[in-house]
Amino acid sequence: MHIINGLVGKAREDMLATARDVASLRPYEIKIHLMHVIRGTLDEKRYLSGELETLSKEEYIGIVCDQLELLPPETAIGRLTGDGDKRALVAPAWSIDKRSVLGGIDHELKLRDSYQGKLFESI
């Protein structure tokens, strides 16, 4: 199962609702992706004109950590961030540094004293 965070028109609560819905299905594996703006698309035009904003690195990390807390502890995490063709990427530029994103998720979970599935039972 795949989910994409940062889609146009979706607020933080929408992304968490998606995680709750996915959790209720108890999938074997989930891959979490980030919405990218790619060169040559309508989204590129919207982004460059200021009509479209992407998530900040901090927002993305917080949302992913919230989602991990909601997912079943036995669900395998196949991906915590996606990466497209770097030559075609317009935004967000921070997504290129995958190690920094993964390290940020790990750091945030430690700050929260949290882990995957921490809030699963309360769903």
Side-chain angles (χ1 to χ4, degrees):
M1 189 167 279
H2 296 250
I3 61 174
I4 302 173
N5 291 324
L7 292 173
V8 176
K10 299 298 180 185
R12 179 185 197 92
E13 190 49 49
D14 297 320
M15 293 175 246
L16 298 182
T18 296
R20 287 185 194 92
D21 290 344
V22 167
S24 72
L25 300 173
R26 300 181 81 101
Y28 171 77
E29 180 180 22
I30 185 168
K31 293 182 178 184
I32 301 174
H33 299 269
L34 167 66
M35 199 282 280
H36 292 99
V37 177
I38 302 299
R39 193 170 328 285
T41 64
L42 181 56
D43 283 343
E44 178 189 24
K45 290 178 186 175
R46 290 178 179 156
Y47 178 78
L48 294 175
S49 73
E51 295 175 55
L52 171 67
E53 293 182 23
T54 59
L55 293 173
S56 71
K57 181 178 169 184
E58 293 74 21
E59 288 171 315
Y60 183 75
I61 288 170
I63 291 164
V64 169
C65 290
D66 291 343
Q67 291 172 323
L68 289 171
E69 291 174 338
L70 297 169
L71 293 171
E74 68 274 7
T75 296
I77 306 298
R79 177 169 293 137
L80 289 172
T81 185
D83 52 355
D85 180 353
K86 291 176 179 66
R87 296 167 295 173
L89 180 68
V90 175
W94 59 261
S95 67
I96 292 172
D97 189 357
K98 202 172 204 175
R99 282 188 186 201
S100 175
V101 176
L102 296 175
I105 293 167
D106 186 50
H107 179 71
E108 178 64 21
L109 288 172
K110 284 179 185 174
L111 285 176
R112 295 180 183 197
D113 191 27
S114 194
Y115 51 88
Q116 179 183 336
K118 183 175 184 177
L119 303 177
F120 177 68
E121 297 302 324
S122 63
I123 294 176

